[in-house]
Amino acid sequence: MHRIAILTAGGDTPALNATIFGAVERANERRVEVFGILDGFVGLLDPRLPHVPLNPLFSTIPELDPHHGGTLLGGSRAYIGPDDVQIIERIVERLGRLKIEGLLCVGGDGTTNAVQCLAERFPCVLAPKTIDNDLGLNYLEEPNDWSSRPAQASRALEYHKAWSRPEIGLDEIINYATPGFATAVFVVAQGVQRIRTTAEGHRRIAIIEVMGRQTGHLALASAYGQPDLILIPEVPLSLPVLLERVRALYELQKHVVIVVGEAIVDAEGKRLGSASSSVDPAGNVAFSGAAESLRQLLVQSLGDDYFRPVAHTRAESAIFTRKVGHTQRGGRPILFDRFYATQLGGCAFDLLWEGHNLAMSTLQWTPAEGFHLGSFPTNQLRDRCGVIHPRLVHPSFYDPLKLWPSKAGIEYLLPIFSNAVGPEDLEHLRGSLFRPGNLTIPYHSINVDIAKQTRWLDQSQ
Ligand code: F6P
């Protein structure tokens, strides 16, 4: 193998450059050239195949900085599907003209699906990423727990998960944590702590909405910021339970902080916010308004008289919402993400080198070994109908009465976060944020440097 390509697809995470870095460094050792394809699958779909050599003379370009969030290659949510036969043909031909012998995609479930169609014609491997922490399995047989039935309102299928395993061992988890998750939690936990003090001072109820789509891993791990209550999308909201907890807390401490996953559902399983009808090419709907809907529910249920004696204001103003938003997906990755993303990138390169196809590098954990690398055939993520579902928070990880991670959930989180922040992360913050030069030197975007190094396929051939 002499030359491979790498791309980043789907939503970004702070750890993408670290993954690319790990793959490129390993390629240097093997004296394999790596071309970065720009803008994810959009780049592959472009007849000019925009690309950047990432290791000329087997030396990693300085622009590829594992400490820098985002992706120097750019990303997109465009994908290809099994019906795009001619498009796939053209992509294979373009990659062939560049003498690319294998493709390493850094992505999540959408990328895994897109890669599937290409892999029939071309060796492809995956390095996992997503702040949602939903690429993987709670246990090996988990895909068999999914069933489908036609949806009532449309011709689409509805998927249902029956949990065949009430408990799991942490060493059974396939891909324990995805790069990007830890940094996102770092941001969320700090956000919760900051909102706490203002809610506390003004006797308010704060509802903080975090990302994660249908999965509540980010909400669950927000426990590190010590909110009072956590609602995850996997467990339908019980309004009586929530109100009882909110009243008890408000009466005791004169404020409450609630974290909600963006796709929480009511007792009937209906989304509290709205899910846009438009989906991205991977079939993902965009969620919005969960926190606001919960706020309305609390305003109606608690009423103005409840707040007047303590907050001296109406329920509408006493209860406020905040979205952590895209800050949880951006910025500098913390140590856990940098370290393991780099390893996972290197491991994915090795998979290509060893001749695997449709395999992904994984991060495994056992009590005896701690974190270590593994690999997994991506097709084993699929259910009986061939669908890859997001890994949901296992029911044993969440206590639906305390609205908090259960003992098992806490045991799951501990290995990831106990040493997730390194001293240099703090030192970087201390040295960089209030650097006098920030006031005089404009931000220099990596995109400017990459544009200068971008090459295209010769169209005259
Ligand atoms: O899948 C990653 C994710 O960050 C989700 O948690 C979130 O719902 C979504 O992407 C947001 O996507 P976009 O940046 O396209 O709005």
Side-chain angles (χ1 to χ4, degrees), residues 324-348:
V324 183
H326 286 77
T327 52
Q328 67 204 295
R329 230 170 60 186
R332 187 181 190 272
I334 59 172
L335 176 66
F336 181 92
D337 275 339
R338 286 200 307 278
F339 186 76
Y340 289 112
T342 306
Q343 303 253 322
L344 284 160
C347 178

Side-chain angles (χ1 to χ4, degrees), residues 87-104:
I87 294 177
I88 293 167
E89 219 33 68
R90 275 182 233 128
I91 292 175
V92 171
E93 184 261 332
R94 274 169 218 148
L95 291 170
R97 274 171 62 200
L98 260 193
K99 299 196 173 18
I100 302 290
E101 293 167 71
L103 179 66
L104 193 166

Side-chain angles (χ1 to χ4, degrees), residues 32 85 161 166-167 211 220 245 248 289 304 350 361 389 435:
V32 172
V85 182
K161 174 108 172 44
E167 281 167 14
M211 286 186 171
L220 191 83
R245 299 285 293 123
D304 292 344
D350 282 344
S361 52
H389 298 277
R435 199 167 26 210

